Amino acid sequence: MPAEPLTLPHTSSGWNAFIADGADSALDAARDVVALLTDGTSRTPLAVLELWNDAEARVATASGFTSLFAEVHPDAGVRELSEVKTQEITAFLTERGQNRELYNVFAAFDASELDAEAARLLDHVLRDFTRSGVDRDDATRARLTEISERSTIVAQEFSRNIRDDVRTLRLRSEQLDGLPDDYRDEHGVGDDGLVAITTDYPDTVPFLTFATDREARHAVSRQFNNRAWPANDPLLHELLDLRAEQATLLGYDSWPDFDTEVKMIGSGDAIGEFIERISDLAGESGRAEVQTLLKRAQQDDPTITAITVGDGAYYTELVRREQFGVDAGAVRRFFDFDRVRAGLLEVTGRLFGISYRERPDVPRWSDDVTCHDVLRGDERIGRIYLDLHPREGKYKHAAQFDLATGVSGMQLPEGTLVCNFPRGLMEHSQVVTLFHEFGHLVHHVLGGNQRWARFSGVATEWDFVEAPSQMLEEWAWDADILRSFAVDADGVPIPADLVARMRTAEDFGRAQRVRTQMHYAAVSYRLHRERPVDHDAAVAELARRYSLITPLSDTHFQAAFGHLEGYGSGYYTYMWSLVIAKDLFSAFDPQNLFDAEVAARYRDEILARGGSADAADLAAAFLGRPYSFDAFGRWLEGDN
C-alpha cells in the first residue's frame, strides 16, 4: 500500500490537537523503541536499525511540523504550542543521545554484517552518540542536557524576536519618488498625510532599490537593520556562550570545530581560510565595482564619500539602468506573481520528469497557502505547500521547511516553501530567489524515497545543501525559459535581448556581492569562535575588513541575522555550495537546459540519492570527476 500524506486539521480548532497529539505519539513510539532495544533481547544489526528507523522517521516528521508551524501558523497559540513541542522533542533527542545502554547496543555490532548503506547509517548513529556526550561522565552529561534545553529556548526566542519585530516608518509621499507606480498605489497616504513603510521584505527591498531620496533610504535601511534590537543582544551572547561550552565539554577547541566535524570543510580553521581565499579572489574586482558606484553617487552629491548599505542597491540599480539599459522597475511588468508561480512549476516539472496537481480540497493553515501533490506519471511521490506571501506573525525570510520526512513504503515526503513575496509584480531578483528556494523543496521530495530516514531528502552535509538550489537559479536566467511565463499585461513575452542585458547587468556588482557574503560568513564564524564582548564593534570591524559597502551608524545587523540561529558558525556554506553549484552546472548545455539525459542524471545522482552518500561522492558520480574551483573562478571573473 502506498504511503499517504499527513492529514492536516479541517478546522481552526483542530490545530492544537494535531500538534500536541502528533508530537506526543511520535515521542511515545520512539521511547517504546528505546525500551525495546535495551530489553536484552538478541537482535541482528539490521533488525535493530529497522526499529531505530521507524522511530527516527516519526520523530523527524514531528520535529518538522512543529518547527514549521512555530514559524508560520497564523494563531499565536499554535505557534507557542509548536515551540513547546519542539523543546520536548529536542529534550528527548538529547536524552536518547546520552543513553549509554542504548549506545552499547549499536557499538557492539559488526558493520561487516550490513550492506554499505546500512553500515553508513550505523556509523552516523554512533557518531551522533559521541557528539551527544554519551561517553562523558554523569555531571558532564547532565550539563550537556541543560545546555541543549536552554539553547533551544534561546534560539526560539531569538528567531521569534526577528519574526515579530515588524517596524514601521512614516514618510512623506514625495519621499517615494522613484518607486514603481504599483508600489506607490499600494502604499497610500494615511490620515496623518504620511505613507507607512514597514520592515517586511515587499516594502523594504523595493524602497532601497528605487527610492531617489537618500535620507529616506537611509532611514528605511536603519529601521530594517535594527530589527530585534536590543532584545536579541543578550540572547545572542548567551547562545554563543552555550555553544562554546557545549563544544568544550565534548572535547573540541571551539564551536566551529565541533560544527565542521560533520561538514565537507572539515575543520573550524578551514572556514577562516576559505573566507580569506574567496575574499582575495573577489577583492580587486569588487573594489573597482564600488568605485564605479561611488563615482555615480558623487554625480548626485559630491559630498558622498562612501557607498553605504542604504546606497548600494539604489546605485547598483542606477548603474545597471544607465550603463546596461536595464531598468529593474520596468522589468517587473513581465513578472506577475501568479504567472511566475505557474512557470516555476512547469519548468521544474519538465526538468525533473514530474508534475504537480493542485489540491484545493486539502486543509491548509492559511487561505493564501496552496497545496500540490507531486506526481511521477500517475504515482504520487510527495506533497508540497507554497506559503509565499507575508502576514502577521510569519517567518520573515525565505526558506524550505520539512513537513514530513519521506521513507520508502512508509511515509510520503512533504515540504513547505515559506517566502514573503508581493502578490502583484515581482522583481526578477525575487524570481531568482523563488527558484532557489524551490530547489530545496524539490530536493526534499525527490530525495525522499529512502530506505533510511536519516538519509531522506536534504540530508547531505550542510555545506552542500545550498548547491542544488543555487544551481536551479540558472533556469531563472535563461531567455527561452523566461519567455514561457514572463509576459506583460498585454501578453507580450519578455524580449530575449532584454534578458541578455539583464544578465550582463547582473554581472556588474558580482564581486562586491561576494565580498558582502564573506562579511556575513565572517560574522557567523568569528562571533562563534571569539565571542567578543561588544558585538557591534566586532561586526563593524569585520565589515571594514571584508565588506566593501559601509554600514550605517547606530545599526545592529547581527540582532536580526537569523542565520546565526540556524546556521551557527556555518554561513560560509552558501559560498562553499556555490563553488560546487557552478561546477555542477558546467555539465549542462547552456543552449539546452532541458537536455533530458543530463537532467535525468542530475536528478538521479544528486537529488534522488538524498544523503545516502557523501556529497563529494554524489558530485563526482554526476560529473564523472571530483568537483573543483575552476568553474567558480571563471564565473567570478565574469565568464558565465
Side-chain angles (χ1 to χ4, degrees), residues 288-524:
E289 290 167 351
V290 173
Q291 190 63 29
T292 298
L293 297 181
L294 181 59
K295 287 180 179 178
R296 178 60 188 85
Q298 288 172 340
Q299 292 179 27
D300 294 340
D301 181 354
T303 67
I304 294 176
T305 58
I307 296 297
T308 73
V309 296
D311 300 321
Y314 174 76
Y315 280 107
T316 297
E317 160 62 16
L318 201 56
V319 168
R320 288 172 177 170
R321 188 187 314 159
E322 294 175 350
Q323 296 190 13
F324 303 104
V326 177
D327 182 344
V331 168
R332 293 168 73 251
R333 75 181 189 273
F334 294 104
F335 295 111
D336 172 76
F337 171 81
D338 289 333
R339 287 185 178 275
V340 170
R341 182 179 62 183
L344 169 76
L345 298 178
E346 175 64 29
V347 168
T348 55
R350 180 180 173 188
L351 181 65
F352 299 122
I354 55 180
S355 62
Y356 307 91
R357 180 174 62 204
E358 188 166 357
R359 295 294 305 271
D361 56 311
V362 171
R364 289 101 63 205
W365 51 95
S366 178
D367 289 341
D368 58 4
V369 175
T370 61
C371 173
H372 308 258
D373 284 340
V374 184
L375 309 175
R376 180 175 292 153
D378 295 328
E379 178 189 4
R380 178 169 57 191
I381 62 171
R383 176 171 284 181
I384 60 174
Y385 294 83
L386 304 180
D387 187 349
L388 302 179
H389 304 298
R391 61 177 175 272
E392 185 178 355
K394 180 186 165 185
Y395 182 79
K396 296 304 178 189
H397 302 291
Q400 179 262 327
F401 287 80
D402 294 355
L403 181 58
T405 297
V407 177
S408 181
M410 174 184 172
Q411 199 161 270
L412 206 65
E414 298 182 65
T416 300
L417 197 58
V418 180
C419 300
N420 289 275
F421 296 126
R423 298 175 188 275
L425 299 179
M426 304 174 68
E427 295 179 39
H428 181 253
S429 62
Q430 294 171 323
V431 177
V432 174
T433 296
L434 180 58
F435 271 72
H436 172 102
E437 298 300 342
F438 198 86
H440 292 303
L441 192 61
V442 77
H443 193 181
H444 175 71
V445 171
L446 291 177
N449 187 31
Q450 303 294 330
R451 179 183 184 186
W452 305 110
R454 174 57 185 270
F455 302 142
S456 182
V458 187
T460 64
E461 296 96 318
W462 201 248
D463 37 10
F464 180 76
V465 162
E466 297 294 334
S469 54
Q470 288 169 330
M471 199 191 77
L472 193 60
E473 293 177 19
E474 302 286 352
W475 276 254
W477 281 103
D478 182 86
D480 291 336
I481 290 171
L482 287 177
R483 286 170 60 82
S484 70
F485 62 84
V487 299
D488 65 15
D490 297 323
V492 177
I494 188 169
D497 68 310
L498 174 58
V499 178
R501 295 199 309 275
M502 287 163 57
R503 193 65 189 252
T504 301
E506 176 70 10
D507 291 345
F508 173 76
R510 172 181 294 169
Q512 172 262 309
R513 292 194 303 276
V514 168
R515 287 294 296 255
T516 297
Q517 287 294 302
M518 289 301 93
H519 171 224
Y520 298 162
V523 169
S524 165

Side-chain angles (χ1 to χ4, degrees), residues 14 18 63 70 97 129 138 149 201 215 277 301 325 330 336 387 394 405-406 426 440 455 465 485 536 565 579 598 622:
F18 173 83
S63 178
F129 273 113
D138 291 345
E149 293 174 354
Y201 279 79
E215 180 181 344
R277 178 179 183 181
D301 181 354
D336 172 76
D387 187 349
K394 180 186 165 185
T405 297
M426 304 174 68
H440 292 303
F455 302 142
V465 162
F485 62 84
D536 285 334
E565 182 267 315
V579 169
V598 180
F622 171 65

Side-chain angles (χ1 to χ4, degrees), residues 124-145:
H124 279 59
V125 170
L126 292 171
R127 185 181 69 183
D128 290 345
F129 273 113
T130 301
R131 286 170 59 81
S132 295
V134 72
D135 56 348
R136 303 289 147 166
D137 59 49
D138 291 345
T140 301
R141 285 187 290 125
R143 178 55 186 156
L144 286 167
T145 297

Side-chain angles (χ1 to χ4, degrees), residues 164-385:
D164 293 347
D165 189 3
V166 179
R167 303 191 177 194
T168 301
L169 191 69
R170 304 197 69 81
L171 300 173
R172 302 183 309 277
S173 59
E174 64 267 23
Q175 291 179 292
L176 275 69
D177 287 353
L179 284 149
D181 290 341
D182 61 302
Y183 183 99
R184 296 172 67 97
D185 291 342
E186 291 169 1
H187 294 76
V189 176
D191 294 339
D192 59 357
L194 300 175
V195 179
I197 304 297
T198 74
T199 50
D200 280 340
Y201 279 79
D203 274 14
T204 294
V205 173
F207 197 96
L208 296 181
T209 304
F210 300 112
T212 59
D213 188 319
R214 189 179 193 229
E215 180 181 344
R217 287 199 315 273
H218 282 206
V220 169
S221 181
R222 275 197 171 88
Q223 77 167 354
F224 183 79
N225 284 292
N226 278 326
R227 291 170 300 148
W229 176 268
N232 271 354
D233 188 53
L235 292 173
L236 181 55
H237 277 286
E238 184 177 3
L239 188 61
L240 296 174
D241 288 346
L242 288 167
R243 287 172 172 170
E245 184 183 359
Q246 177 184 345
T248 300
L249 290 174
L250 291 169
Y252 299 85
D253 290 338
S254 68
W255 175 264
D257 291 310
F258 170 77
D259 194 28
T260 54
E261 182 186 38
V262 293
K263 291 182 168 65
M264 297 178 76
I265 201 167
S267 73
D269 287 344
I271 298 178
E273 294 165 3
F274 178 74
I275 291 171
E276 294 299 329
R277 178 179 183 181
I278 299 300
S279 296
D280 288 346
L281 284 173
E284 183 178 353
S285 296
R287 284 186 286 272
E289 290 167 351
V290 173
Q291 190 63 29
T292 298
L293 297 181
L294 181 59
K295 287 180 179 178
R296 178 60 188 85
Q298 288 172 340
Q299 292 179 27
D300 294 340
D301 181 354
T303 67
I304 294 176
T305 58
I307 296 297
T308 73
V309 296
D311 300 321
Y314 174 76
Y315 280 107
T316 297
E317 160 62 16
L318 201 56
V319 168
R320 288 172 177 170
R321 188 187 314 159
E322 294 175 350
Q323 296 190 13
F324 303 104
V326 177
D327 182 344
V331 168
R332 293 168 73 251
R333 75 181 189 273
F334 294 104
F335 295 111
D336 172 76
F337 171 81
D338 289 333
R339 287 185 178 275
V340 170
R341 182 179 62 183
L344 169 76
L345 298 178
E346 175 64 29
V347 168
T348 55
R350 180 180 173 188
L351 181 65
F352 299 122
I354 55 180
S355 62
Y356 307 91
R357 180 174 62 204
E358 188 166 357
R359 295 294 305 271
D361 56 311
V362 171
R364 289 101 63 205
W365 51 95
S366 178
D367 289 341
D368 58 4
V369 175
T370 61
C371 173
H372 308 258
D373 284 340
V374 184
L375 309 175
R376 180 175 292 153
D378 295 328
E379 178 189 4
R380 178 169 57 191
I381 62 171
R383 176 171 284 181
I384 60 174
Y385 294 83

Side-chain angles (χ1 to χ4, degrees), residues 564-627:
L564 291 173
E565 182 267 315
Y567 275 65
S569 59
Y571 191 85
Y572 80 91
T573 59
Y574 277 95
M575 198 58 60
W576 181 279
S577 292
L578 187 60
V579 169
I580 302 174
K582 292 300 180 184
D583 206 13
L584 297 178
F585 184 65
S586 70
F588 285 82
D589 179 357
Q591 304 305 314
N592 180 18
L593 293 185
F594 288 118
D595 181 282
E597 186 276 327
V598 180
R601 193 171 82 248
Y602 172 75
R603 178 195 64 205
D604 295 340
E605 294 290 356
I606 300 291
L607 302 181
R609 294 183 67 185
S612 62
D614 289 348
D617 293 334
L618 296 178
F622 171 65
L623 293 168
R625 55 167 173 77
Y627 74 89

Side-chain angles (χ1 to χ4, degrees), residues 92-109:
F92 164 76
L93 293 174
T94 300
E95 176 188 357
R96 189 183 68 173
Q98 294 181 0
N99 188 321
R100 287 183 176 176
E101 188 178 3
L102 183 61
Y103 167 75
N104 290 336
V105 172
F106 289 94
F109 289 148

Side-chain angles (χ1 to χ4, degrees), residues 150-166:
R150 181 60 186 163
S151 293
T152 300
I153 292 170
V154 172
Q156 286 178 336
E157 189 172 350
F158 185 87
S159 180
R160 188 189 316 123
N161 287 339
I162 299 171
R163 184 180 70 227
D164 293 347
D165 189 3
V166 179

